[in-house]
Coordinates of all heavy atoms in Angstrom, one line a residue:
A1 N 0.8 -1.2 0.0 CA 0.0 0.0 0.0 C 0.9 1.3 0.0 O 0.6 2.2 -0.7 CB -0.9 0.0 1.2
A2 N 2.0 1.2 0.8 CA 2.9 2.4 0.8 C 3.5 2.6 -0.6 O 3.6 3.8 -1.0 CB 4.0 2.2 1.9
A3 N 3.9 1.6 -1.2 CA 4.5 1.7 -2.6 C 3.5 2.3 -3.5 O 3.8 3.1 -4.4 CB 5.1 0.4 -3.1
R4 N 2.2 1.8 -3.4 CA 1.2 2.3 -4.3 C 1.0 3.8 -4.0 O 0.8 4.6 -5.0 CB -0.1 1.6 -4.0 CG -1.4 2.2 -4.6 CD -1.4 2.1 -6.1 NE -1.7 0.7 -6.5 CZ -1.8 0.4 -7.8 NH1 -1.6 1.2 -8.7 NH2 -2.1 -0.9 -8.1
R5 N 1.0 4.3 -2.8 CA 0.8 5.7 -2.5 C 1.9 6.5 -3.0 O 1.7 7.6 -3.5 CB 0.6 5.9 -1.0 CG -0.7 5.3 -0.4 CD -0.6 5.4 1.1 NE -0.4 6.7 1.6 CZ 0.0 7.0 2.9 NH1 0.2 6.0 3.7 NH2 0.1 8.3 3.2
M6 N 3.1 6.0 -2.9 CA 4.3 6.7 -3.4 C 4.2 6.8 -4.9 O 4.5 7.9 -5.5 CB 5.6 6.0 -3.0 CG 6.8 6.7 -3.5 SD 6.9 8.4 -3.0 CE 7.2 8.2 -1.3
E7 N 3.8 5.7 -5.6 CA 3.7 5.8 -7.1 C 2.6 6.8 -7.5 O 2.8 7.6 -8.4 CB 3.3 4.5 -7.6 CG 3.4 4.5 -9.2 CD 2.5 3.3 -9.8 OE1 1.5 3.0 -9.2 OE2 3.0 2.8 -10.8
D8 N 1.5 6.8 -6.7 CA 0.4 7.8 -7.0 C 0.9 9.2 -6.8 O 0.6 10.2 -7.6 CB -0.8 7.6 -6.1 CG -1.6 6.3 -6.6 OD1 -1.4 5.9 -7.7 OD2 -2.4 5.8 -5.8
A9 N 1.7 9.5 -5.8 CA 2.3 10.8 -5.5 C 3.2 11.2 -6.6 O 3.1 12.4 -7.1 CB 3.0 10.8 -4.2
R10 N 4.0 10.3 -7.1 CA 4.9 10.7 -8.2 C 4.1 10.9 -9.5 O 4.5 11.9 -10.2 CB 5.9 9.5 -8.4 CG 7.0 9.4 -7.3 CD 7.8 8.2 -7.4 NE 9.0 8.2 -6.7 CZ 9.7 7.1 -6.3 NH1 9.3 5.9 -6.7 NH2 10.8 7.2 -5.6
A11 N 3.1 10.1 -9.7 CA 2.3 10.3 -10.9 C 1.6 11.6 -10.9 O 1.5 12.4 -11.9 CB 1.3 9.2 -11.0
A12 N 1.1 12.0 -9.7 CA 0.4 13.3 -9.6 C 1.4 14.5 -9.8 O 1.0 15.4 -10.5 CB -0.2 13.4 -8.2
I13 N 2.6 14.4 -9.3 CA 3.6 15.4 -9.5 C 3.9 15.5 -11.0 O 3.9 16.7 -11.6 CB 4.9 15.1 -8.7 CG1 4.7 15.3 -7.2 CG2 6.0 16.0 -9.2 CD1 4.5 16.7 -6.8
D14 N 4.0 14.4 -11.7 CA 4.3 14.4 -13.1 C 3.1 15.0 -13.9 O 3.3 15.7 -14.9 CB 4.6 13.0 -13.6 CG 5.9 12.5 -13.0 OD1 6.7 13.3 -12.6 OD2 6.1 11.3 -13.0
L15 N 1.9 14.8 -13.5 CA 0.7 15.3 -14.2 C 0.6 16.8 -14.0 O 0.2 17.5 -14.9 CB -0.5 14.6 -13.7 CG -0.7 13.1 -14.0 CD1 -2.0 12.6 -13.5 CD2 -0.6 12.9 -15.5
V16 N 1.1 17.3 -12.9 CA 1.1 18.8 -12.7 C 2.1 19.4 -13.7 O 1.8 20.4 -14.4 CB 1.4 19.2 -11.3 CG1 1.5 20.7 -11.1 CG2 0.4 18.7 -10.3
S17 N 3.3 18.7 -13.8 CA 4.3 19.3 -14.7 C 3.9 19.1 -16.1 O 4.1 20.0 -16.9 CB 5.6 18.5 -14.4 OG 6.0 18.7 -13.1
D18 N 3.4 18.0 -16.5 CA 3.1 17.7 -17.9 C 1.8 18.3 -18.4 O 1.7 18.7 -19.6 CB 3.1 16.2 -18.2 CG 4.5 15.5 -17.8 OD1 5.5 16.3 -17.7 OD2 4.5 14.3 -17.6
A19 N 0.8 18.2 -17.6 CA -0.6 18.5 -18.1 C -1.1 19.8 -17.4 O -2.2 20.2 -17.8 CB -1.5 17.4 -17.9
G20 N -0.4 20.4 -16.5 CA -0.9 21.6 -15.9 C -2.1 21.4 -15.0 O -2.9 22.3 -14.8
L21 N -2.2 20.2 -14.3 CA -3.3 20.0 -13.4 C -3.0 20.6 -12.1 O -1.9 21.0 -11.8 CB -3.6 18.4 -13.3 CG -4.0 17.7 -14.6 CD1 -4.3 16.3 -14.3 CD2 -5.2 18.4 -15.2
S22 N -4.0 20.5 -11.2 CA -3.8 21.0 -9.8 C -3.8 19.9 -8.8 O -4.4 18.9 -9.0 CB -5.0 22.0 -9.5 OG -6.3 21.4 -9.7
L23 N -3.0 20.1 -7.7 CA -2.8 19.1 -6.8 C -2.7 19.6 -5.4 O -2.1 20.7 -5.1 CB -1.5 18.4 -7.1 CG -0.9 17.4 -6.0 CD1 -1.7 16.2 -5.8 CD2 0.6 17.0 -6.4
V24 N -3.4 19.0 -4.4 CA -3.2 19.2 -3.0 C -2.3 18.1 -2.5 O -2.6 16.9 -2.5 CB -4.5 19.2 -2.2 CG1 -4.2 19.4 -0.7 CG2 -5.4 20.3 -2.7
L25 N -1.1 18.5 -2.0 CA -0.1 17.5 -1.5 C 0.0 17.7 0.0 O 0.5 18.7 0.5 CB 1.3 17.8 -2.2 CG 2.4 16.9 -1.7 CD1 2.1 15.4 -2.1 CD2 3.7 17.3 -2.3
R26 N -0.6 16.7 0.7 CA -0.5 16.8 2.2 C 0.8 16.1 2.6 O 0.9 14.8 2.6 CB -1.7 16.1 2.8 CG -1.7 16.2 4.3 CD -3.1 15.9 4.9 NE -3.1 16.2 6.3 CZ -2.9 15.2 7.2 NH1 -2.7 14.0 6.8 NH2 -2.9 15.5 8.5
A27 N 1.8 16.9 2.9 CA 3.1 16.3 3.3 C 3.8 17.3 4.2 O 3.9 18.5 3.8 CB 3.9 16.1 2.0
R28 N 4.3 16.9 5.3 CA 5.0 17.7 6.2 C 6.5 17.7 5.8 O 6.9 16.8 5.0 CB 4.8 17.3 7.6 CG 3.3 17.3 8.0 CD 3.1 16.9 9.4 NE 1.7 16.6 9.7 CZ 1.2 16.3 10.8 NH1 2.0 16.3 11.9 NH2 -0.1 16.0 11.0
E29 N 7.3 18.5 6.4 CA 8.8 18.5 6.2 C 9.4 17.2 6.4 O 9.1 16.5 7.4 CB 9.5 19.6 7.1 CG 9.2 21.0 6.7 CD 9.9 21.4 5.4 OE1 10.7 20.6 4.9 OE2 9.6 22.6 4.9
G30 N 10.2 16.7 5.5 CA 10.8 15.4 5.6 C 11.4 15.0 4.2 O 11.2 15.6 3.2
P31 N 12.0 13.8 4.2 CA 12.6 13.3 3.0 C 11.6 13.0 1.9 O 11.9 13.2 0.7 CB 13.4 12.0 3.4 CG 12.7 11.6 4.7 CD 12.3 12.9 5.4
V32 N 10.4 12.5 2.2 CA 9.5 12.2 1.2 C 9.0 13.5 0.5 O 9.0 13.6 -0.7 CB 8.3 11.5 1.8 CG1 7.2 11.3 0.8 CG2 8.7 10.1 2.4
R33 N 8.7 14.5 1.3 CA 8.3 15.8 0.7 C 9.4 16.4 -0.1 O 9.2 16.9 -1.2 CB 7.9 16.8 1.8 CG 7.6 18.2 1.3 CD 7.0 19.0 2.4 NE 7.2 20.4 2.2 CZ 6.7 21.4 3.0 NH1 5.9 21.0 4.1 NH2 6.9 22.6 2.8
A34 N 10.7 16.3 0.4 CA 11.8 16.9 -0.4 C 12.0 16.1 -1.7 O 12.3 16.8 -2.7 CB 13.1 16.8 0.5
H35 N 11.8 14.8 -1.7 CA 11.9 14.1 -2.9 C 10.9 14.5 -3.9 O 11.2 14.7 -5.1 CB 11.8 12.6 -2.6 CG 11.5 11.7 -3.8 ND1 12.5 11.3 -4.7 CD2 10.4 11.1 -4.3 CE1 12.0 10.6 -5.7 NE2 10.7 10.5 -5.4
L36 N 9.6 14.6 -3.5 CA 8.6 15.0 -4.4 C 8.7 16.4 -5.0 O 8.5 16.7 -6.1 CB 7.2 14.9 -3.7 CG 6.8 13.4 -3.3 CD1 5.5 13.4 -2.5 CD2 6.7 12.6 -4.6
L37 N 9.2 17.4 -4.1 CA 9.4 18.7 -4.6 C 10.6 18.8 -5.5 O 10.6 19.6 -6.5 CB 9.6 19.7 -3.4 CG 8.3 19.9 -2.5 CD1 8.6 20.9 -1.4 CD2 7.1 20.3 -3.3
E38 N 11.6 18.0 -5.3 CA 12.7 17.9 -6.2 C 12.2 17.4 -7.6 O 12.6 17.9 -8.6 CB 13.8 17.0 -5.7 CG 15.0 16.9 -6.6 CD 16.1 16.0 -6.0 OE1 15.8 15.3 -4.9 OE2 17.2 15.9 -6.6
R39 N 11.4 16.4 -7.5 CA 10.8 15.8 -8.8 C 10.0 16.9 -9.5 O 10.0 17.0 -10.7 CB 10.0 14.6 -8.5 CG 9.5 13.8 -9.7 CD 8.6 12.7 -9.3 NE 8.2 11.8 -10.4 CZ 8.8 10.7 -10.8 NH1 9.9 10.3 -10.1 NH2 8.4 10.0 -11.8
L40 N 9.3 17.7 -8.7 CA 8.5 18.8 -9.3 C 9.4 19.8 -9.9 O 9.1 20.3 -11.0 CB 7.7 19.5 -8.2 CG 6.7 20.6 -8.6 CD1 5.6 20.0 -9.4 CD2 6.1 21.2 -7.4
A41 N 10.5 20.2 -9.3 CA 11.4 21.2 -9.8 C 12.2 20.7 -11.1 O 12.6 21.5 -11.9 CB 12.5 21.5 -8.8
L42 N 12.2 19.4 -11.2 CA 12.9 18.8 -12.4 C 12.0 18.8 -13.6 O 12.4 18.4 -14.7 CB 13.4 17.4 -12.1 CG 14.6 17.3 -11.1 CD1 14.9 15.9 -10.8 CD2 15.8 18.1 -11.5
G43 N 10.7 19.1 -13.4 CA 9.8 19.2 -14.6 C 10.2 20.2 -15.6 O 11.1 21.0 -15.4
E44 N 9.5 20.2 -16.7 CA 9.8 21.1 -17.8 C 9.4 22.5 -17.4 O 10.0 23.5 -17.9 CB 9.0 20.7 -19.0 CG 9.4 19.3 -19.6 CD 8.7 19.0 -20.8 OE1 7.9 19.8 -21.3 OE2 8.9 17.9 -21.4
R45 N 8.5 22.8 -16.5 CA 8.0 24.1 -16.2 C 8.8 24.6 -15.0 O 9.0 23.9 -14.0 CB 6.5 24.1 -16.0 CG 5.7 23.6 -17.1 CD 4.2 23.6 -16.8 NE 3.4 22.9 -17.8 CZ 2.9 23.5 -18.8 NH1 3.1 24.8 -19.0 NH2 2.2 22.8 -19.7
S46 N 9.1 25.9 -14.9 CA 9.6 26.5 -13.7 C 8.5 26.8 -12.7 O 7.3 26.7 -13.1 CB 10.4 27.8 -14.1 OG 9.5 28.7 -14.7
V47 N 8.9 27.0 -11.5 CA 8.0 27.1 -10.4 C 8.0 28.5 -9.8 O 9.1 29.0 -9.5 CB 8.3 26.0 -9.3 CG1 7.3 26.1 -8.2 CG2 8.3 24.7 -10.0

């Protein structure tokens, strides 16, 4: 279940970058949030 949630989170981040969708990310400070925001920053669009 945890791996599924992580895959969904990554997919949601990619959809924001690729398709311009909107996302509520419930995540407090920590390595998981840092990883997802880094993935967001690596997208084609600047933030």
Side-chain angles (χ1 to χ4, degrees):
R4 167 71 74 181
R5 290 171 60 197
M6 179 57 68
E7 188 202 36
D8 285 343
R10 286 169 165 162
I13 289 291
D14 293 341
L15 291 180
V16 176
S17 299
D18 298 343
L21 297 182
S22 54
L23 166 68
V24 176
L25 179 64
R26 186 162 184 267
R28 305 181 193 183
E29 288 287 354
V32 174
R33 172 170 157 179
H35 166 77
L36 293 175
L37 293 184
E38 181 181 5
R39 188 182 185 95
L40 185 67
L42 293 176
E44 295 181 2
R45 303 177 188 273
S46 58
V47 180

